[in-house]
Amino acid sequence: DGSGPDDAGPYSLEVTVRPDGSAGPPWDECEGALAMDVAAGPAGGAAGSATIEGSTFPAGDDAWPPCSSSPGGPDLFFYVDLPAEADVKAEVTAADYPAPVVALAGGCGGDWSGCGIGTVVARLPRGRVVVLVDSLGADLLGAFTLSVSWSNPG
């Protein structure tokens, strides 16, 4: 369809469909969180970072962090293991949808330690940090880049 009465012509349409109820990847649930490859910083792990690219397209809606305005957004779980208490920053950028949500927790089943649109910062204890990539609605999904960095408070 064109914008005017004389606008017409061939077109192509590409559709990707995910059947309702289809299983997402194992990291679609917190217990199956995917480990992020860590690049250790100086001082033997006192600082570090990790980056991963992915897509929420195959994911279901398994989490409802406090900064998400509505349930229904597809989400995926990742983790890093902190060698000591650290200030953790997680950033997510999405190529295919606006306002990606990122949240941090000290493990599955616990309270969220921080939550934000695009970026979150929180001081977390030594151990496993779960990072959630989410969105604000069921139709907001697609490719993203997640970066996590940390440094010991000092």
Side-chain angles (χ1 to χ4, degrees):
D1 193 16
S3 60
D6 296 326
D7 294 335
Y11 64 91
S12 64
L13 175 66
E14 183 178 329
V15 177
T16 305
V17 178
R18 177 178 172 247
D20 286 341
S22 64
W27 53 96
D28 189 21
E29 296 181 5
C30 188
E31 292 76 16
L34 182 65
M36 295 181 71
D37 289 331
V38 174
S49 64
T51 300
I52 194 165
E53 293 181 349
S55 175
T56 57
F57 181 75
D61 181 27
D62 301 291
W64 304 275
C67 63
S68 179
S69 63
S70 62
D75 46 54
L76 293 171
F77 294 87
F78 303 90
Y79 75 87
V80 295
D81 290 319
L82 297 179
E85 179 182 69
D87 292 325
V88 179
K89 179 180 182 180
E91 291 183 280
V92 63
T93 55
D96 298 331
Y97 60 100
V101 173
V102 61
L104 297 169
C108 296
D111 292 332
W112 294 106
S113 301
C115 186
I117 305 300
T119 303
V120 64
V121 178
R123 181 165 289 176
L124 294 166
R126 176 180 185 256
R128 179 144 302 168
V129 173
V130 173
V131 184
L132 173 73
V133 174
D134 202 346
S135 71
L136 295 175
D139 59 342
L140 301 175
L141 56 125
F144 65 85
T145 301
L146 171 63
S147 298
V148 179
S149 60
W150 63 92
S151 60
N152 289 5

